[in-house]
Amino acid sequence: MNQHRAPDARTGTPVESIRSPFDGSEVGQMPVAGEMQVEAAIRQAEKTFQTMRRLPRFVRADILERAAEIIRGRREEFATLIAQEAGKPLYDARGEVSRAVFNLRNAAAEARSFSGAEIPLDVDGGVFEYQSARSDGGALDLAQADLEQLAGLRRRLGLARRYPIGPILAIAPFNFPLNLVVHKVAPAIAVGNSVVIKPAPQTPLTSLKLVEALEEAGLPKGAVSVIHCPVALAETMVKDERFAMVTFTGSAKVGWHIKSIAGRKKVALELGGNGAVIVGADADLGFAAARCVRGGVVYGGQYCIGVQRIMVQRAVYDAFKAKLLERIAACKVGNPLQEGMDVGPVIDSKSADRIESWIKAAREGGARVIAGGERQGNVITPTILEGTKPDMLVEREEIFGPVMTLSPIDSIEEGVRRANDSRYGLQGGLFTNDLRAALRALEEWDVGGLMINDVPIYRIDNMPFGGWKESGFGREGTRFAMEEMTDIKFLVVNYN
C-alpha cells in the first residue's frame, strides 16, 4: 500500500510513497496534487491545445517516433519500474514496453495518413433536382436539363475533415501503467489534442517517466501532464467542461459512474470482463491448455481480457483437464523482479482479500479447488475451480486474479450460450477447426473481439478494442481512438 502523505521538505507539496505490492519496499515518491495544481493543469492543457492543434502532421509524427526510440533505448529502466510499482513479472513488463513502443510508432504512422473523406453529392436524381437550382436561382427540372447544365450543377465538392476536439482527461488503470496510458496519449498527440493523465494511485511513477520521454522527444511542455490526486478531485476533473473528452479504463462500477457525471463531453469506457474460452472436441488440446494457463495467470490474472471461464466439450474434458493441470503446476510464482517468474503479487492486500474470499465462497457453494487456491502475502497461487455454478462470483463477476473455472459442455453452441450469459462482453476465445461453428459464434456471442484458436488476451495494439454490454463503449486501437478523439467539420464548395 502507498504510504501516508507527507509534505516535501523543500517545496511543502504533499508527497506519497509508492510501494511495491510484493514486499512493501518504497519504489519512489509522487507529488499529490491539490485544487491549485489541478486547476493549473487544466489551464495548461487548454493553452497547449492551441499549440497542438496547429502543429503540422510531420511534427506530431516525429515527436511520437522519437519518444518510441527513447523508450526503446530505456527498455530495462521502464520494465524494472513497472515490475516494482505494479508487481508485474519482468517478462511481462518487458512485453508491455515493447507494446508501448509499437503503439507510439503506429500512432506516428497514423498521424501522417489520418484524414477525412470526400462525400459524393450527386448520387440520387430526385434529391439532386430538389437541392440544385438553375443559374438564375429557379427550380431545376431534370426533364428539361441538358448535359451541359447537369455537368455544371454537379460541380459541388463535399469534404469531411476531422479536427482535434480539445483537452482530454485520460484515466488509466494500474495493470498496464505504461501501455494503457500510451493507448490514450499517443492517439491524442497524433491528432493534435492535449492530455491530462490521471494514473492509477498505485502506479503513477511510470506515467511521469512517459511524460519525461515525450517532452525529451520535443512535445511542448504541458501538452501532456500527470495529476496524482484524491478521488474527489478526479471527479471534479471528470465534471469540468473544459475537457472535451474523458477516456477511462478500469472497473465497470467506476466507469459507468464517470459517464453519469461527465456532462456533455465525449466519454470512452474500456471496462471489465469475465473472459470465457470454449474448447471444442476437435481442438489442439495441448495448445489450448497452454494458452488458457497463460491467459489466466498473466500478471496475476489482473487483465480485463484474461481467461476466467473455461468450457470444454465432454468428449475431451478429461484429456484437456489433465493438460491444464500439468501446465498450471509448471507456473513459477514469486518475486516479480526475479527472472523467469510467471506470477507475482496482485496489486494490494485488499485485492488479495477479495480474491481469497471469492474462492472460499465458491468452495462453500460446492465447487472444488483442483489446483492452487493458496495465498502468501499478496501472491495468490494460480487456481482452477471445478463444479462452479453460473451464479457464483467467480463466474458472474470479474475476479481480476489468477483464478479460472473449468466446466464441461455438450456442444460449442451450448458453450456460446453460457459464455454470452453475462453482463460483460469484452473478448472471448474459441478453440475449433469448424469454420461454420466459429462464424456462427461471432453472430451469437456479443463480444467486442472473438479469438478463434486462441484466448481472449490476444491483442495487437492497432486492433479495434472495446466491449459490448457493460464492458463499455467506444474503441481503442490507434486509428479507432483517433476517430474518437476528433470530430468532423463538413465543407461543401460549389465551384460551378
Side-chain angles (χ1 to χ4, degrees), residues 18 78 104 109 119 167 187 269 271 280 284 326 329 343 385 409 439:
I18 307 301
F78 272 91
L104 289 160
I119 308 300
L269 301 177
L271 308 178
D284 179 333
E326 182 182 348
V343 183
L385 295 167
I409 51 174
L439 293 176

Side-chain angles (χ1 to χ4, degrees), residues 73-387:
R74 300 174 187 169
R75 181 178 182 231
E76 284 303 302
E77 193 178 324
F78 272 91
T80 300
L81 179 58
I82 292 168
Q84 289 173 329
E85 71 170 348
K88 181 172 287 191
L90 282 169
Y91 175 81
D92 295 307
R94 291 180 183 122
E96 180 175 351
V97 177
S98 295
R99 288 179 63 184
V101 169
F102 166 71
N103 232 334
L104 289 160
R105 287 175 174 163
N106 192 52
E110 293 287 2
R112 299 184 194 278
S113 62
F114 187 70
S115 62
E118 179 183 350
I119 308 300
L121 305 175
D122 56 348
V123 296
D124 182 87
V127 175
F128 184 86
E129 182 179 50
Y130 175 67
Q131 293 284 15
S132 301
R134 302 192 310 263
S135 58
D136 62 1
L140 173 67
D141 181 357
L142 280 179
Q144 301 298 319
D146 58 26
L147 181 59
E148 192 62 32
Q149 188 178 20
L150 289 175
L153 290 172
R154 72 173 293 275
R155 292 192 181 106
R156 290 177 187 264
L157 179 66
L159 291 177
R161 296 188 66 181
R162 288 194 166 271
Y163 291 85
I165 55 177
I168 290 174
L169 175 60
I171 305 177
F174 69 81
N175 57 337
F176 285 83
L178 178 62
N179 195 43
L180 287 185
V181 176
V182 171
H183 262 293
K184 301 175 186 307
V185 170
I189 293 171
V191 297
N193 290 313
S194 56
V195 186
V196 174
I197 303 167
K198 165 59 179 76
Q202 304 95 331
T203 56
L205 301 174
T206 303
S207 287
L208 271 188
K209 200 169 192 64
L210 169 64
V211 172
E212 289 172 5
L214 288 167
E215 291 184 351
E216 184 179 336
L219 187 73
K221 191 169 182 60
V224 177
S225 59
V226 179
I227 289 292
H228 178 64
C229 67
V231 171
L233 278 179
E235 289 198 354
T236 299
M237 289 195 288
V238 169
K239 295 174 184 177
D240 198 303
E241 289 301 328
R242 288 173 291 181
F243 286 109
M245 179 180 183
V246 177
T247 171
F248 170 83
T249 298
S251 73
K253 179 181 178 181
V254 175
W256 293 112
H257 173 66
I258 283 172
K259 184 177 182 295
S260 74
I261 65 173
R264 296 173 297 175
K265 64 179 66 65
K266 279 189 171 186
V267 177
L269 301 177
E270 196 274 277
L271 308 178
N274 57 349
V277 173
I278 301 164
V279 180
D282 64 336
D284 179 333
L285 299 184
F287 180 71
R291 290 298 288 162
C292 282
V293 169
R294 171 66 179 162
V297 308
V298 61
Y299 186 39
Q302 298 170 118
Y303 205 159
C304 59
I305 48 177
V307 175
Q308 183 170 332
R309 298 175 292 154
I310 307 172
M311 289 162 275
V312 186
Q313 280 196 266
R314 291 184 191 276
V316 296
Y317 183 83
D318 289 338
F320 176 83
K321 175 180 170 181
K323 293 180 184 296
L324 190 72
L325 290 173
E326 182 182 348
R327 287 282 182 172
I328 209 87
C331 290
K332 294 181 179 178
V333 182
N335 187 344
L337 287 169
Q338 287 183 2
E339 297 287 353
M341 286 296 164
D342 298 299
V343 183
V346 294
I347 193 64
D348 52 31
S349 59
K350 182 179 178 182
S351 297
D353 290 343
R354 178 187 54 77
I355 295 164
E356 191 176 39
S357 72
W358 286 19
I359 295 171
K360 180 182 178 184
R363 269 179 161 156
E364 291 173 349
R368 301 176 299 282
V369 176
I370 60 173
E374 299 164 352
R375 174 183 176 183
Q376 184 171 359
N378 290 339
V379 178
I380 306 288
T381 57
T383 302
I384 300 175
L385 295 167
E386 199 174 37

